[in-house]
Amino acid sequence: MVKFMYSQIQLFILLLGLFAAGILSLKANDDRKVYIVYMGSISEEHVVTSEYHIDILQQVLEGSTAEESLVRSYKRSFNGFAARLTEKESKNLNSKKEVVSVFPSKTLQLQTTRSWDFLGLVESDVIPRNLTTESNVILGAFDTGVWPESPSFSDDGFGPPPKKWKGACKGGNDFKCNNKVIGASTTFDSARDDNGHGSHTASTAAGRHVDHANFYGLAEGIARGAVPSARIAVYKVCGGESCSDSDILTAFDEAIADGVDLITISIGSTNAISLYEDSIAIGAYHAAQKGILTVNSAGNSGNTSSSVASVAPWLFSVAAASSDRRIRDKVVLGNGKTLLGYSINPLKSEKGLFPLVFGVGSSQCSKESIRNCSSGCLDEEFVKGKIVVCDNSYDSVIDEALRAGALGVLSRVAIEFAQFYPLPAIRLEPNEFEELLSYLNSTKNPKANILKSFSFNDTSAPYVIYFSSRGPNIIASDILKPDITAPGVEIIAAFSPLASLSSLDDTGGNEMSANFSILSGTSMSCPHVAGASVYLKSLHPDWSPSAIKSALMTTACPMSPSKNQDAEFAYGSGHLDPVKAANPGLVYETLEDEYLTFFCKLGLSKDQIALITGNKSFSCPENSTRNQSSLPNDVNYPSLSAMVDVGTPFNVKFSRTVTNVGVANSTYTVKVESPKEVMVTVKPSTLSFTSLNEKKSFDVTVVGKGLSKGPSSIISASLVWSDGQHSVRSPIVIYSNSFAL
Ligand SMILES: *[C@@H]1O[C@H](CO)[C@@H](O)[C@H](O)[C@H]1NC(C)=O
Ligand SMILES: *[C@@H]1O[C@H](CO)[C@@H](O)[C@H](O)[C@H]1NC(C)=O
Ligand SMILES: *[C@@H]1O[C@H](CO)[C@@H](O)[C@H](O)[C@H]1NC(C)=O
Ligand SMILES: *[C@@H]1O[C@H](CO)[C@@H](O)[C@H](O)[C@H]1NC(C)=O
Ligand SMILES: *[C@@H]1O[C@H](CO)[C@@H](O)[C@H](O)[C@H]1NC(C)=O
Ligand SMILES: *[C@@H]1O[C@H](CO)[C@@H](O)[C@H](O)[C@H]1NC(C)=O
Ligand SMILES: *[C@@H]1O[C@H](CO)[C@@H](O)[C@H](O)[C@H]1NC(C)=O
Ligand SMILES: *[C@@H]1O[C@H](CO)[C@@H](O)[C@H](O)[C@H]1NC(C)=O
């Protein structure tokens, strides 16, 4: 407090000085940007109001009124607000004792069905289902809204919303809810989806069964979510492709109070940030306090070390893998050869062959720029009505070819999955592209035709796709992320007929629209795990968020480091298996107290922890400051991970507790699989239960010589508790702090 007053006085003096020197004009508004002011939990004895936020704002504002400055007030589920502030005002707010953190509101990205059969959640009587309990589960979908008239969101045969639902239909313009889409909320004009992403993700998780869904005849089949009877509450937090922290926090504030059971959010930043400046981590923490699990895409930042952005232990972070139904396309050359490439080209091409052009273009451009179709280098005179070859892997060649009136484009692959383009276009792997070049070289009159795409059975599935973000977790090194893997490549699901079918949408000229579309991303894998979580919630309505997450993680199908570079840092516990997860035997439940110690390790102060958690009596245990070598994680997590010093022998101990949710009288014995570099011991090695919900604890010790530098410094082992019926598996990952070197 004293420190705060002192700094105010100092500031005042400084300001006077600046005014006197004529440096500071009153144009302060131009320097303002939106900041999030996060103030933690709402204690039961206090009601938080906008007036309270205005009051706090007024104490720091200089040259603006609080009413002008306040953008959002978070007061239903947690405490905080968003306001337009100068940097100085934001610093002054940050030093207030009521405030946990102040950070600029960032823009986050969208992380852009056959798949449920692939996952074994088939539509049959063999799978236990209960339509009554399924229709009681409410999924909060934070995204670009939905297209409410899509058959995936039809409420045919649905009863009224469950009684526990406290939300409303506030979807704005031209948006009606029904008994399937029971609520909507948005800070935009309408919760109607004009992007397609939100309809896609919501229907993947909980859409209804739709026969003959297809994309212009491609990938035809049944589109459905995991739990078609579940309800959906729509929170539109993104306009276009951009989603702000301030709107995401509004959605959490509302959804938690509205009474959703789970949240799915296929949105994230491109890299991990401190948890108290991460809107998704903050919102999801308060959701978890109320028993709501938040499922989040791991990110599409790709296969470089530590690219995973979803890192909080209470988030369920999902990586993306291929599934067995893949899409490819072919180009036929004038010499009869066929090249195979990546494209979603649903339209049947005209018969015959069309002229191919390569390396002819504007005289303003170098030969090389013409060959790689640099912007402005193709010339309509040479290209119009022809298929152009671009020695380039960039998306920008599509725009350039369209501008010049090309019939189609053959270019190099940048992405190992198929996408729709506003004109027929195929991306070729290097060897196929070489073959194309040598054909061009072999004739004066090259010709080609781009065929309609086809789907095929990829028996090598699943493997983690290259764009899926990787661990290790740079914020909390002993929490393994991502947690789990699910299908996220070439997924067909509901779409918005208003949306552009291609992310390259400034090109004009393409009027196609669709009710179903094929997309790839961890955005697509996230709602698969959300749907599986809804399924578990319908079977076990009393399970905590951590129990649901544990069930899905410990029953995930193990994946192999030989097929997946980066091992657990790519796939976490493995590939989603919703049917096994329904009956996991044991679960690792995380108690709220463990998060308190976790916050200590992150370096938060006692006061910050008290604000965030609402627990005022807690103090950090001694020597709980961050020290990786002495303190592997205290969170009762379903995976075990620790970072150790490079080149130094280690002896890492994990303590864990499991809860019996299988058979009352049961005995589990442990089985460890580990490489010879480490010795893993588990004590005790047998756990006997005599009742349901009984808890038993055990310790795992991992001893090894020092790890070397580089990617080989990851040790993957596993531990499985088995009673003969259930198999409860946790990966054990030890890695060195030089991993990224
Ligand atoms: C479904 O669950 C409800 C509520 O738990 C129960 O009353 C009902 O008997 C169940 N129905 C079936 C078919 O299992
Ligand atoms: C692909 O082949 C496998 C094995 O033969 C089969 O189980 C699976 O159903 C097939 N998938 C598709 C999409 O046809
Ligand atoms: C295309 O070629 C030009 C050289 O003329 C080069 O500067 C540019 O980087 C190339 N673009 C790509 C994407 O390879
Ligand atoms: C094209 O032909 C020329 C001469 O015949 C040769 O030097 C060149 O390597 C060939 N290029 C390709 C890509 O085959
Ligand atoms: C990432 O994946 C791409 C495509 O599979 C591969 O070519 C590249 O070597 C990988 N990068 C790293 C750092 O592993
Ligand atoms: C999308 O659905 C609407 C309404 O059912 C229908 O009129 C329209 O033709 C469909 N569009 C496409 C491209 O199939
Ligand atoms: C961390 O703890 C270990 C074991 O107690 C100790 O040897 C080491 O010095 C500590 N490191 C730091 C940075 O405090
Ligand atoms: C579990 O075993 C104990 C004795 O070992 C027995 O008394 C009890 O009835 C059994 N409980 C169940 C649910 O079978």
Side-chain angles (χ1 to χ4, degrees), residues 623 625-631 645:
N623 77 39
T625 47
R626 195 160 194 172
N627 180 342
Q628 300 302 340
S629 46
S630 66
L631 265 178
D645 290 333

Side-chain angles (χ1 to χ4, degrees), residues 216 497 513-515:
Y216 289 91
S513 93
N515 297 322

Side-chain angles (χ1 to χ4, degrees), residues 27-357:
K27 289 195 315 187
N29 256 329
D30 297 341
D31 306 328
R32 288 172 194 274
K33 48 183 184 187
V34 177
Y35 283 84
I36 307 293
V37 181
Y38 171 50
M39 303 172 70
S41 290
I42 296 175
S43 60
E44 267 157 31
E45 62 269 26
H46 291 115
V47 177
V48 176
T49 60
S50 308
E51 288 70 37
Y52 171 64
H53 293 147
I54 285 177
D55 193 47
I56 289 173
L57 255 179
Q58 244 145 15
Q59 298 169 28
V60 302
L61 285 176
E62 300 158 355
S64 172
T65 69
E67 287 78 4
E68 275 167 11
S69 163
L70 189 70
V71 178
R72 309 253 183 273
S73 222
Y74 312 119
K75 55 195 183 212
R76 294 182 73 193
S77 305
F78 52 89
N79 188 1
F81 57 92
R84 302 185 63 78
L85 302 169
T86 63
E87 195 182 337
K88 196 180 296 162
E89 289 162 353
S90 80
K91 287 204 171 121
N92 283 346
L93 273 170
N94 210 358
S95 60
K96 285 192 161 289
K97 67 171 177 16
E98 305 91 320
V99 171
V100 178
S101 57
V102 180
F103 55 96
S105 176
K106 297 171 295 303
T107 298
L108 307 189
Q109 283 80 37
L110 294 167
Q111 293 172 325
T112 317
T113 357
R114 168 66 204 154
S115 44
W116 286 114
D117 292 303
F118 182 58
L119 290 171
L121 192 64
V122 294
E123 289 183 293
S124 84
D125 300 338
V126 182
I127 308 297
R129 305 201 85 119
N130 181 327
L131 293 186
T132 313
T133 52
E134 285 187 7
S135 67
N136 273 332
V137 184
I138 306 168
L139 175 68
F142 291 16
D143 211 297
T144 64
V146 299
W147 189 260
E149 295 80 16
S150 165
S152 295
F153 305 123
S154 151
D155 70 348
D156 253 8
F158 275 51
K163 290 216 173 57
K164 65 184 177 191
W165 173 241
K166 295 197 276 295
C169 188
K170 299 180 291 176
N173 296 341
D174 191 24
F175 193 99
K176 280 207 186 71
C177 297
N178 60 25
N179 285 329
K180 170 75 182 171
V181 176
I182 59 171
S185 173
T186 184
T187 53
F188 298 91
D189 291 343
S190 170
R192 182 171 288 280
D193 180 13
D194 55 7
N195 176 289
H197 191 272
S199 302
H200 203 279
T201 53
S203 65
T204 299
R208 300 207 56 185
H209 172 123
V210 181
D211 283 318
H212 306 300
N214 65 81
F215 182 68
Y216 289 91
L218 264 185
E220 176 161 342
I222 296 161
R224 67 185 163 92
V227 185
S229 323
R231 320 291 180 136
I232 295 171
V234 176
Y235 298 84
K236 177 166 173 172
V237 298
C238 308
E241 299 274 309
S242 91
C243 328
S244 70
D245 279 333
S246 63
D247 288 338
I248 288 168
L249 284 168
T250 299
F252 275 108
D253 193 37
E254 302 262 313
I256 296 166
D258 287 348
V260 303
D261 293 298
L262 300 112
I263 290 167
T264 184
I265 176 165
S266 288
I267 297 170
S269 38
T270 45
N271 55 292
I273 39 183
S274 304
L275 298 185
Y276 44 91
E277 298 192 349
D278 176 342
S279 60
I280 296 176
I282 290 169
Y285 176 77
H286 293 289
Q289 281 185 315
K290 293 276 151 55
I292 302 163
L293 175 63
T294 302
V295 186
N296 185 208
S297 43
N300 297 345
S301 298
N303 58 355
T304 56
S305 185
S306 299
S307 57
V308 62
S310 177
V311 292
W314 49 86
L315 283 173
F316 201 176
S317 312
V318 188
S322 61
S323 68
D324 59 353
R325 206 261 297 113
R326 295 296 301 272
I327 294 169
R328 287 284 195 285
D329 200 1
K330 283 178 180 164
V331 54
V332 182
L333 304 179
N335 61 4
K337 280 219 169 103
T338 301
L339 305 178
L340 189 63
Y342 297 86
S343 182
I344 295 176
N345 177 32
L347 302 181
K348 214 166 156 195
S349 59
E350 280 178 53
K351 282 217 162 64
L353 293 170
F354 302 90
L356 257 187
V357 283

Side-chain angles (χ1 to χ4, degrees), residues 482-504:
D483 291 306
I484 197 165
T485 302
V489 180
E490 295 157 10
I491 304 296
I492 187 163
F495 204 63
S496 162
L498 284 186
S500 164
L501 294 182
S502 165
S503 52
L504 314 164

